[in-house]
C-alpha cells in the first residue's frame, strides 16, 4: 500500500505526540509536579497526534491524577474529531469530498491563502494575549480577537483557546467562536 504525504504526516505527528506525552508523564512522576510541556502536548494533539497522545495517556496516565485524566479526556475528544475528519477524507464518499476540496482550492486559491494566514495571526494574538495576561501587561482588546475570528480566524481562535487555555470561561468566546465557525463553514460550503 502506497502512503501519501498526509498519511506520513499523521504517522510522524502521532509518534511525536506519544514521545512528548511520555516525556511529560515521566518528568511529572519524577519531579512530582507538571512542567511546561503540557502546552506542547496539547498542540501536537490538536495538529493530528491525538492517537499518540491517547496511547501515551493510557500507558502512563493515572486515574488518581486529575490533571492527567483531564489531558486524556482532551486527547480522546480530539481523536474523535480527527477520526470523523479521516472518515470524511478516506471513507466511502472520499472521491466527492476530495474533488470538492481540490476544486475549491484551485478556484479560490487566494481565499485559501487568506484563511490560512488569518488563522495563524488569530492563533498568535490569542497566545500573545495569554502571555500578556500571565505577565500582567496591557492586554489585546477582546473586540480585536473576536473581530479576527469573525473575519475567518475562528479555527485559529478555537485552537488557541484549547492549546493555551485562554478565554475558556468567557461566554463570548466559548459560544461565539464555535457559532462563527459553523456559520463560516456553511457560507463556504454554499
Amino acid at each position: 500500500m502506497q502512503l501519501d504525504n498526509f498519511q506520513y504526516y499523521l504517522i510522524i505527528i502521532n509518534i511525536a505526540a506519544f514521545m512528548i506525552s511520555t516525556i511529560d508523564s515521566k518528568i511529572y512522576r519524577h519531579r512530582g509536579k507538571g512542567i511546561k510541556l503540557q502546552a506542547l502536548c496539547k498542540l501536537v494533539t490538536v495538529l493530528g497526534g491525538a492517537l499518540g497522545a491517547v496511547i501515551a495517556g493510557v500507558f502512563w496516565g493515572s486515574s488518581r491524577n486529575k490533571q492527567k485524566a483531564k489531558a486524556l479526556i482532551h486527547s480522546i475528544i480530539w481523536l474523535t474529531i480527527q477520526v470523523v475528519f479521516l472518515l470524511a477524507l478516506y471513507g466511502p464518499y472520499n472521491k466527492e469530498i476530495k474533488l470538492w476540496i481540490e476544486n475549491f482550492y484551485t478556484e479560490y486559491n487566494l481565499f485559501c491563502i487568506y484563511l490560512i494566514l488569518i488563522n495563524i495571526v488569530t492563533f498568535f494574538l490569542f497566545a500573545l494575549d495569554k502571555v500578556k495576561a500571565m505577565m500582567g501587561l496591557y492586554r489585546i482588546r477582546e473586540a480585536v480577537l473576536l473581530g479576527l475570528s469573525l473575519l475567518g480566524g475562528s479555527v485559529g481562535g478555537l485552537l488557541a483557546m484549547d492549546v493555551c487555555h485562554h478565554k475558556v470561561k468567557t461566554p463570548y468566546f466559548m459560544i461565539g467562536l464555535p457559532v462563527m465557525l459553523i456559520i463560516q463553514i456553511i457560507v463556504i460550503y454554499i
Side-chain angles (χ1 to χ4, degrees), residues 4 19 29 52 55 65 75 89 96 141 159 183 188:
D4 62 16
M19 292 172 61
R29 284 190 183 156
I55 292 171
N65 185 329
S75 300
L89 200 58
E96 293 85 6
R141 292 177 41 206
L159 288 176
I183 291 170
I188 288 173

Side-chain angles (χ1 to χ4, degrees), residues 56-77:
V58 169
F59 276 120
W60 316 120
S62 170
S63 61
R64 291 174 283 162
N65 185 329
K66 289 182 181 178
Q67 189 175 9
K68 292 294 176 187
K70 194 174 177 183
L72 182 60
I73 291 169
H74 171 268
S75 300
I76 291 170
I77 290 169

Side-chain angles (χ1 to χ4, degrees), residues 33-98:
K33 59 181 183 177
I35 63 161
K36 302 296 181 193
L37 280 180
Q38 295 164 353
L40 184 60
C41 290
K42 281 187 173 184
L43 183 62
V44 294
T45 299
V46 168
L47 293 176
L51 180 62
V54 167
I55 292 171
V58 169
F59 276 120
W60 316 120
S62 170
S63 61
R64 291 174 283 162
N65 185 329
K66 289 182 181 178
Q67 189 175 9
K68 292 294 176 187
K70 194 174 177 183
L72 182 60
I73 291 169
H74 171 268
S75 300
I76 291 170
I77 290 169
W78 276 103
L79 179 61
T80 304
I81 292 168
Q82 291 167 10
V83 166
V84 169
F85 174 76
L86 289 174
L87 284 175
L89 200 58
Y90 293 104
Y93 302 107
N94 69 340
K95 291 179 183 172
E96 293 85 6
I97 292 171
K98 280 184 178 180

Side-chain angles (χ1 to χ4, degrees), residues 2-190:
Q2 185 70 16
L3 298 176
D4 62 16
N5 289 339
F6 183 67
Q7 291 168 331
Y8 281 121
Y9 167 78
L10 286 177
I11 291 169
I12 292 168
I13 196 78
N14 278 289
I15 291 170
F18 178 80
M19 292 172 61
I20 292 167
S21 297
T22 299
I23 291 168
D24 183 50
S25 177
K26 294 301 180 185
I27 291 173
Y28 183 88
R29 284 190 183 156
H30 178 68
R31 293 190 181 160
K33 59 181 183 177
I35 63 161
K36 302 296 181 193
L37 280 180
Q38 295 164 353
L40 184 60
C41 290
K42 281 187 173 184
L43 183 62
V44 294
T45 299
V46 168
L47 293 176
L51 180 62
V54 167
I55 292 171
V58 169
F59 276 120
W60 316 120
S62 170
S63 61
R64 291 174 283 162
N65 185 329
K66 289 182 181 178
Q67 189 175 9
K68 292 294 176 187
K70 194 174 177 183
L72 182 60
I73 291 169
H74 171 268
S75 300
I76 291 170
I77 290 169
W78 276 103
L79 179 61
T80 304
I81 292 168
Q82 291 167 10
V83 166
V84 169
F85 174 76
L86 289 174
L87 284 175
L89 200 58
Y90 293 104
Y93 302 107
N94 69 340
K95 291 179 183 172
E96 293 85 6
I97 292 171
K98 280 184 178 180
L99 184 63
W100 183 84
I101 292 171
E102 288 171 5
N103 287 340
F104 183 83
Y105 181 74
T106 55
E107 199 171 317
Y108 302 102
N109 192 3
L110 191 58
F111 180 67
C112 291
I113 293 170
Y114 165 78
L115 283 178
I116 291 168
L117 290 177
I118 192 76
N119 280 288
I120 290 171
V121 168
T122 306
F123 180 89
F124 174 75
L125 287 179
F126 267 78
L128 180 63
D129 189 51
K130 174 67 174 188
V131 170
K132 286 183 170 194
M134 291 173 18
M135 296 176 69
L137 299 174
Y138 181 74
R139 305 276 303 276
I140 298 170
R141 292 177 41 206
E142 287 184 348
V144 172
L145 299 175
L146 286 170
L148 286 170
S149 299
L150 185 64
L151 292 173
S154 57
V155 172
L158 285 169
L159 288 176
M161 285 174 64
D162 189 32
V163 171
C164 301
H165 198 70
H166 188 50
K167 300 288 186 190
V168 294
K169 293 181 180 177
T170 309
Y172 294 129
F173 293 91
M174 283 302 297
I175 297 169
L177 264 62
V179 169
M180 284 182 206
L181 179 61
I182 291 168
I183 291 170
Q184 290 166 356
I185 289 172
I186 291 170
V187 167
I188 288 173
Y189 190 73
I190 294 176

